[in-house]
Amino acid sequence: SETSAVVNNLITALENYRSERLESMKPKQPEKRTLSEAERKAAITFLKSPNLLGRTKQVIADSGLIGEENNSLIAYLAYTSRKRHTPLHLMCLGASGTGKTWLQEKVSELMPEEDKLEITSLSSNAFYYFGREELKHKLLLIEDLDGAESVLYPLRELQSKRKISKTVTLKDNKGNLKTVTLNVEGPVCVSGCTTREQLYEDNANRCILLYMDNSIEQDKKIMEYQRKLSAGQVDESRQHKLKEQVKNVQRILKPITVKNPYATFLQLPEEVFKPRRTMLLLLLFTETITYYHQYQRTLKTDTDTGEQYIESTLEDVEAAFTLLETTLLKKSDELNDACRSFFEKLKGYLKEKDTESENVSFYSKEIRSAFRLTPSSIGRYLYELERMGYIKITRGNRYKGFEYKVQRWNDLESLQQSSRMLVSCILENIKSVSRNPTVSQRPDGLFKVQKDSRKEAVTQGK
């Protein structure tokens, strides 16, 4: 019995030692910083400033992100939504070398260290072994989705259900097997980069999609900044100071409920694919803009539940439509971004070649030489455009080459025009309701005037 007691004490000591070692191996989470009174006052002053979105866009540019003004502001607001009960998610798309990771990295530098987790690669079960609340309201940054293919399923569950669980078998102190359920709670805000939108379609449906600017003008801006940085003409200390100020702004944002009284008026173009999730993204993005303006909104109280909340304004709705115009347009286009860019460039090339461009034909060899594309790339684009009816083969064969003609010249312009007309109509309807509170929307989208029952009351003399 004495030997048994000694061995049990030894086992207990070894288990404690093992637990301490495992705990020491875990990466230490950055401690939440306490702001000084001056820092807090400066952050509140920033959040109360007029034209907050415009000022934020300028600060992001001054912190070292060149170009991509709209994309950077969308990413900033999406990352800000991590503090809300239903965060937004982001996916940066573009060809290799177009600045996807750079955009994600520079905007994430404006977020507090304690609120983000940067990931390069993950094993298939990695997410299940985080602490129960370790990921709650965190920003998860995935540099390349190709390095996280094994965790895409739990990642989708975290995005949709805001929690994941896994049942595993472990041994207890006596060597007996027992079943344990690992639970990890969200919500989390997920941001990732990829060149292959179609491959990660299930994840892309849950995200706001950002398409990188690969124009010649953007190339010139970036190269000019690179030259200045190399020559020491960039004030990096000022950039660091701006980043710290924006981090403080993020730290003082408080959890608060947002209600959008104009939500029933919002509609999407009929051409949008998967409209249910797209509508949810639009509503959440509008609420996030309101949430970011919380220091400029009147705090209201629900008389029934006692819950405090702030309300979206017409300006918030208008800003959401303006910022997401490109994203909504891309979700309405049946061509993917790379193929659409090629097609628009092709039409511009043919118009420059001949004013009567509608009758101009072209060969793939000519276009490949002019655009400096690989044979496989131009073959893929032409096949997709011909299959979708945007171009047609007029003559030729696969040995000598095919001659093509463009069939649809103004499809993108028509899509843009119909989308803008719809947004304009929605905003005008909201303005009408705002000017006349006695007007409400009917189920068919029209309006009706509410009657004042007090004016119709008749005294019966009883």
Side-chain angles (χ1 to χ4, degrees):
S1 62
E2 290 180 2
T3 304
S4 178
V6 171
V7 172
N8 286 334
N9 290 336
L10 175 61
I11 291 174
T12 302
L14 287 172
E15 287 292 338
N16 292 337
Y17 175 74
R18 178 174 176 271
S19 299
E20 291 172 3
R21 290 280 294 173
L22 289 173
E23 193 66 30
S24 65
M25 290 170 63
K26 290 183 179 179
K28 292 184 178 180
Q29 297 293 327
E31 295 182 3
K32 191 171 183 179
R33 184 183 166 192
T34 303
L35 302 183
S36 66
E37 189 60 33
E39 290 173 332
R40 183 177 179 81
K41 189 174 180 180
I44 293 175
T45 302
F46 181 89
L47 287 171
K48 287 185 175 180
S49 61
N51 190 21
L52 178 58
L53 293 181
R55 188 174 178 186
T56 302
K57 186 187 293 186
Q58 186 59 49
V59 169
I60 295 172
D62 293 342
S63 68
L65 183 58
I66 307 303
E68 302 286 5
E69 290 85 1
N70 274 5
N71 282 345
S72 61
L73 185 56
I74 292 172
Y76 178 84
L77 290 169
Y79 295 169
T80 301
S81 72
R82 74 190 183 282
K83 292 194 167 190
R84 304 191 65 235
H85 179 67
T86 310
L88 292 161
H89 309 286
L90 201 69
M91 186 177 285
C92 301
L93 302 164
S96 179
T98 53
K100 303 179 299 299
T101 308
W102 178 254
L103 172 70
Q104 179 174 276
E105 178 185 338
K106 298 304 289 184
V107 178
S108 67
E109 287 177 359
L110 304 174
M111 302 294 124
E113 288 77 9
E114 64 270 18
D115 288 352
K116 61 185 179 182
L117 178 64
E118 298 183 39
I119 299 170
T120 303
S121 181
L122 281 169
S123 62
S124 57
N125 292 319
F127 273 121
Y128 297 103
Y129 289 95
F130 281 100
R132 187 184 186 93
E133 297 188 354
E134 192 175 347
L135 296 180
K136 209 165 190 176
H137 298 293
K138 286 290 179 66
L139 169 61
L140 304 183
L141 300 164
I142 303 174
E143 292 184 10
D144 193 339
L145 288 175
D146 294 342
E149 283 188 77
S150 58
V151 296
L152 291 183
Y153 174 70
L155 199 61
R156 287 197 295 270
E157 293 302 296
L158 269 175
Q159 289 174 305
S160 299
K161 296 182 179 178
R162 297 184 287 280
K163 64 179 180 179
I164 54 175
S165 61
K166 184 181 182 71
T167 301
V168 296
T169 304
L170 299 176
K171 287 185 178 181
D172 60 14
N173 294 338
K174 297 181 179 180
N176 298 320
L177 294 174
K178 62 177 182 178
T179 302
V180 176
T181 301
L182 306 174
N183 293 294
V184 179
E185 295 181 359
V188 296
C189 172
V190 181
S191 177
C193 304
T194 182
T195 59
R196 301 184 288 180
E197 176 185 355
Q198 298 299 324
L199 185 63
Y200 305 110
E201 185 178 1
D202 283 346
N203 292 78
N205 291 336
R206 296 166 169 83
C207 301
I208 293 177
L209 306 181
L210 294 187
Y211 295 89
M212 298 300 102
D213 182 3
N214 57 357
S215 64
I216 297 176
E217 292 74 16
Q218 176 70 359
D219 292 340
K220 291 179 179 177
K221 288 179 184 178
I222 292 174
M223 289 188 290
E224 178 64 23
Y225 176 77
Q226 291 170 340
R227 288 191 288 265
K228 288 182 178 180
L229 189 63
S230 180
Q233 298 177 6
V234 176
D235 189 352
E236 295 187 63
S237 62
R238 178 173 178 269
Q239 290 182 354
H240 177 73
K241 185 178 179 181
L242 285 172
K243 291 175 185 176
E244 292 302 317
Q245 290 175 351
V246 178
K247 287 178 185 176
N248 292 339
V249 167
Q250 287 288 317
R251 288 185 176 108
I252 67 168
L253 290 171
K254 302 172 292 185
I256 191 169
T257 302
V258 176
K259 294 184 179 181
N260 183 2
Y262 306 112
T264 55
F265 296 94
L266 303 186
Q267 296 178 16
L268 293 174
E270 294 180 357
E271 296 85 357
V272 169
F273 300 106
K274 296 181 175 62
R276 299 178 186 180
R277 281 182 173 164
T278 305
M279 173 57 76
L280 181 60
L281 290 176
L282 176 60
L283 293 172
L284 291 176
F285 190 72
T286 306
E287 292 175 11
T288 301
I289 293 175
T290 307
Y291 174 80
Y292 188 52
H293 286 82
Q294 61 182 252
Y295 284 88
Q296 301 183 21
R297 299 289 185 265
T298 303
L299 192 63
K300 298 183 178 181
T301 304
D302 192 315
T303 55
D304 296 328
T305 62
E307 181 185 32
Q308 291 188 318
Y309 65 95
I310 55 177
E311 286 188 347
S312 300
T313 64
L314 176 62
E315 290 74 21
D316 297 338
V317 176
E318 194 166 2
F321 272 117
T322 302
L323 288 171
L324 293 184
E325 179 181 3
T326 301
T327 297
L328 294 176
L329 194 65
K330 296 289 185 183
K331 285 183 176 288
S332 305
D333 195 354
E334 58 185 355
L335 298 178
N336 62 46
D337 184 59
C339 193
R340 168 57 68 183
S341 299
F342 169 80
F343 188 46
E344 294 304 310
K345 191 175 180 180
L346 172 65
K347 290 191 290 186
Y349 172 80
L350 295 177
K351 287 178 181 178
E352 288 181 4
K353 185 179 177 181
D354 195 332
T355 54
E356 298 293 332
S357 54
E358 293 189 6
N359 298 318
V360 174
S361 60
F362 64 92
Y363 288 89
S364 62
K365 183 178 180 180
E366 171 194 0
I367 301 302
R368 190 188 72 79
S369 176
F371 293 177
R372 300 176 66 185
L373 294 171
T374 62
S376 59
S377 294
I378 195 166
R380 185 172 65 253
Y381 294 146
L382 293 177
Y383 170 75
E384 187 70 14
L385 291 172
E386 194 269 332
R387 186 173 69 89
M388 303 291 282
Y390 287 84
I391 61 175
K392 71 174 182 177
I393 298 173
T394 54
R395 60 181 178 177
N397 55 61
R398 64 176 184 170
Y399 301 105
K400 294 184 179 180
F402 293 105
E403 184 182 46
Y404 298 91
K405 275 189 178 180
V406 174
Q407 290 285 90
R408 299 165 66 175
W409 287 92
N410 301 316
D411 61 306
L412 184 61
E413 290 78 4
S414 301
L415 197 61
Q416 289 174 332
Q417 185 177 2
S418 63
S419 177
R420 287 169 183 167
M421 285 181 63
L422 177 64
V423 172
S424 177
C425 182
I426 290 171
L427 295 177
E428 188 57 40
N429 289 346
I430 294 175
K431 289 176 183 177
S432 300
V433 174
S434 300
R435 288 193 296 263
N436 186 3
T438 61
V439 175
S440 64
Q441 190 181 30
R442 282 175 20 193
D444 56 7
L446 302 176
F447 296 91
K448 62 182 179 181
V449 179
Q450 297 175 347
K451 296 181 181 179
D452 191 339
S453 59
R454 290 174 298 179
K455 293 181 180 180
E456 294 182 355
V458 178
T459 304
Q460 299 294 332
K462 295 184 181 178

